[in-house]
Amino acid sequence: MATVFYGALVTPTTGSLSTYLALPKAVLCVSHDSGIIQWIEEDVPSSLLQDVLAKHGITGEDVSLVELETGEFLIPGFIDTHTHAPQVPNIGSGQEHELLDWLAKVTFPTEAKFEDVTFARKAYTSAVRRIIDNGTTTCCYYGTLHLEGTKVLADIVHDFGQRAFVGKCNMNRHSPDYYVEPSAEESVARTRAMIAHIRSLSGSPSHALVQPVVTPRFAISCTPELLVQLGDLVAADPTLAIQTHISENAAEIVFTKSLFPPDILPTPPLHQGPKPTETTYAGVYDAYGLIRSNTILAHAVHLEDSEVKLIKERNAGISHCPTSNFNLRSGCAKVGAFLDAGIKVGLGTDVSGGFSPSILTAVQHASIASKVVALSAPEHKHTHPHAAATSIPFANRHLPIATLLYLATLGGAEVCNLEKRVGSLEVGKEFDALVVSVREDAGNPNLWGLDLDQALGRTSEVGKEELQAMLERFLFCGDDRNIRRV
């Protein structure tokens, strides 16, 4: 048994940040049992649809055929590489604060409430449902420091069928008395219990939809003793993903450097050459073995050149969170320079520093952030000193549509080390996808519908150029109403 979709299809191109496929009349077949894309035919007139099905051995009773309407298209599911599930109730609050004050006055008081498991279950059920409804098929979740509440988050994500990484925050200092872990040992013990719980949810952990992620909240909230133990934990299990914050806010960076002078840092496990004489934020994490190929570093607004080089060397990924970075007045990450350097980059909503759970909002703000960076840059400076020789230069330029699509989908998959499984619509990958509508009946007054264009005689057939225009309208004017199915 298979499900076959017939209609328009849009997908990023593997290996390219500047191109994507826009196929107006594609046929895509998904295995009903495995959810794997079995085959794709790129250009099939409606008169030949049955012939194509027959060529692949599919008869009427073997298939569930989904024919997309004019103005609808398939797209890979969005990948949110950084968000805080317990902060969803706070969306839109604390707009006047910068990062550290916002944490103290808005975030920590709300997160502390998740010690109540009943409260956690109600709040997380609503939060996860909202995130899925906005088209996010893969999400990297921070929970709170509470073990039982974060177990509930993992259970809810698993029950909804969303692909996700779920982590219990590690934070044993520089937090309010009512919201801090008592010791490094207790923090790590709870983390081990969280990992065991998540892995028990699936009979095949390596292919599980929900996976654990070690989550030191940020360096400020972790004592050196705690970071040592977390480093030992991940060193013993290379499959464990890691997520944390880095270089989000100028005051945060200054505080971090004061807490970790060079003389207290261990020699990084992978370090080559003499021990650094100055502290960098990335260097702190690296000293404890926490930057590697399955590390997700959120924000990266104020990275030093040496940190960019280090992150590339470790093949870690960056989660670009432009909405939050604007909202908390942190700054604009130089995403184009990261891409030129060959660093993996995806998008994060960073709720509730970011005031929307939608990756579409992150796409729109990523576009604006890239234009702000371009406007602020000296005209002669177009590439980063660590730019990969074969890359198209993106530094100090606005991000094109193809790159924005990549960041929202395949780029996020690469950050999560899932690019062989999801992030694009390709044969052999899992069908994490959205049916998008840019029709008037989607009910979004901010998006001019394609069917209205046709009624006015502005367009008739939907070809490649029209489909590309549909994608751009969706990315810049769409919302959850334009997502027919997840």
Side-chain angles (χ1 to χ4, degrees):
M1 183 67 179
T3 300
V4 170
F5 291 83
Y6 177 54
L9 180 155
V10 172
T11 183
T13 306
T14 298
S16 174
L17 302 176
S18 56
T19 62
Y20 65 93
L21 287 178
L23 307 174
K25 294 183 178 180
V27 186
L28 181 149
C29 179
V30 183
S31 166
H32 181 74
D33 295 327
S34 68
I36 301 293
I37 300 172
Q38 295 181 308
W39 51 265
I40 298 174
E41 298 278 357
E42 293 191 357
D43 187 12
V44 180
S46 57
S47 60
L48 296 180
L49 176 59
Q50 292 304 320
D51 292 343
V52 168
L53 296 178
K55 181 182 80 170
H56 289 278
I58 294 178
T59 61
E61 295 183 356
D62 296 330
V63 64
S64 171
L65 179 62
V66 179
E67 294 191 61
L68 303 182
E69 296 186 67
T70 301
E72 294 183 338
F73 58 93
L74 283 176
I75 191 173
F78 293 140
I79 297 178
D80 188 343
T81 56
H82 180 74
T83 203
H84 296 261
Q87 293 179 26
V88 173
N90 276 353
I91 288 179
S93 303
Q95 309 296 297
E96 71 274 21
H97 298 300
E98 289 191 13
L99 175 64
L100 298 181
D101 286 341
W102 173 79
L103 287 171
K105 297 178 181 180
V106 179
T107 302
F108 291 154
T110 296
E111 289 194 12
K113 296 177 182 177
F114 284 78
E115 183 177 13
D116 181 338
V117 174
T118 300
F119 176 88
R121 182 169 289 106
K122 290 180 180 178
Y124 282 145
T125 299
S126 176
V128 174
R129 179 74 268 170
R130 291 164 190 256
I131 290 167
I132 294 172
D133 287 347
N134 275 287
T136 297
T137 54
T138 300
C139 193
C140 298
Y141 288 109
Y142 284 58
T144 62
L145 59 75
H146 309 108
L147 173 59
E148 296 306 320
T150 310
K151 284 182 180 179
V152 167
L153 171 60
D155 292 345
I156 289 168
V157 171
H158 179 264
D159 290 345
F160 273 127
Q162 188 184 35
R163 193 181 304 277
F165 294 84
V166 178
K168 182 207 75 64
C169 281
N170 301 105
M171 41 192 297
N172 70 332
R173 70 167 171 180
H174 293 300
S175 300
D177 291 342
Y178 61 84
Y179 190 57
V180 66
E181 294 182 293
S183 67
E185 290 75 18
E186 181 65 22
S187 181
V188 173
R190 293 173 182 174
T191 298
R192 291 182 183 276
M194 189 69 219
I195 293 167
H197 176 76
I198 291 175
R199 287 178 169 170
S200 73
L201 297 176
S202 172
S204 177
S206 62
H207 288 85
L209 285 175
V210 184
Q211 298 185 43
V213 54
V214 175
T215 307
R217 187 177 197 116
F218 58 169
I220 290 172
S221 69
C222 299
T223 60
E225 180 186 13
L226 176 54
L227 292 180
V228 165
Q229 293 188 38
L230 292 177
D232 290 343
L233 175 63
V234 299
D237 187 348
T239 68
L240 276 173
I242 305 161
Q243 63 180 0
T244 192
H245 300 77
I246 190 169
S247 299
E248 179 178 358
N249 171 279
E252 167 208 13
I253 296 169
V254 171
F255 193 16
T256 298
K257 289 184 175 183
S258 73
L259 293 173
F260 294 94
D263 59 299
I264 76 163
L265 293 176
T267 300
L270 302 176
H271 184 65
Q272 302 293 325
K275 184 175 178 178
T277 57
E278 295 185 6
T279 297
T280 65
Y281 206 146
V284 171
Y285 291 133
D286 192 50
Y288 296 99
L290 296 173
I291 299 187
R292 59 189 193 185
S293 63
N294 52 1
T295 298
I296 303 166
L297 299 166
H299 299 293
V301 175
H302 304 286
L303 290 182
E304 301 172 27
D305 287 347
S306 63
E307 294 178 291
V308 174
K309 183 179 179 181
L310 174 63
I311 291 168
K312 171 57 181 173
E313 287 176 351
R314 300 290 186 260
N315 196 30
I318 290 175
S319 176
H320 178 37
C321 306
T323 307
S324 174
N325 295 338
F326 280 133
N327 197 41
L328 296 178
R329 304 191 299 284
S330 298
C332 294
K334 296 177 175 59
V335 170
F338 302 155
L339 296 175
D340 285 349
I343 292 174
K344 303 179 293 189
V345 183
L347 294 179
T349 58
D350 192 32
V351 169
S352 66
F355 49 74
S356 170
S358 173
I359 285 291
L360 285 173
T361 304
V363 165
Q364 295 150 20
H365 291 168
S367 176
I368 295 170
S370 71
K371 293 171 183 175
V372 171
V373 170
L375 287 169
S376 306
E379 291 186 11
H380 68 279
K381 186 177 180 182
H382 289 297
T383 59
H384 192 277
H386 304 298
T390 58
S391 67
I392 297 173
F394 291 94
N396 302 321
R397 298 178 180 179
H398 75 273
L399 297 174
I401 297 300
T403 311
L404 295 170
L405 174 63
Y406 157 83
L407 292 175
T409 54
L410 189 55
E414 291 172 350
V415 169
C416 297
N417 284 352
L418 292 173
E419 70 276 9
K420 293 182 180 179
R421 296 173 62 184
V422 295
S424 57
L425 300 178
E426 298 181 61
V427 174
K429 286 193 173 182
E430 298 177 38
F431 187 63
D432 288 10
L434 313 177
V435 175
V436 171
S437 172
V438 292
R439 296 170 54 86
E440 283 292 298
D441 58 14
N444 179 0
N446 298 318
L447 195 154
W448 184 274
L450 182 78
D451 46 338
L452 185 54
D453 264 346
Q454 292 179 322
L456 293 172
R458 293 180 64 190
T459 187
S460 53
E461 291 274 329
V462 175
K464 181 177 179 179
E465 290 185 2
E466 288 77 17
L467 181 53
Q468 290 173 330
M470 288 162 57
L471 172 67
E472 187 169 9
R473 289 185 193 183
F474 172 60
L475 292 180
F476 284 92
C477 303
D479 60 28
D480 62 291
R481 289 168 291 188
N482 300 104
I483 298 171
R484 295 285 204 200
R485 296 176 62 186
V486 180

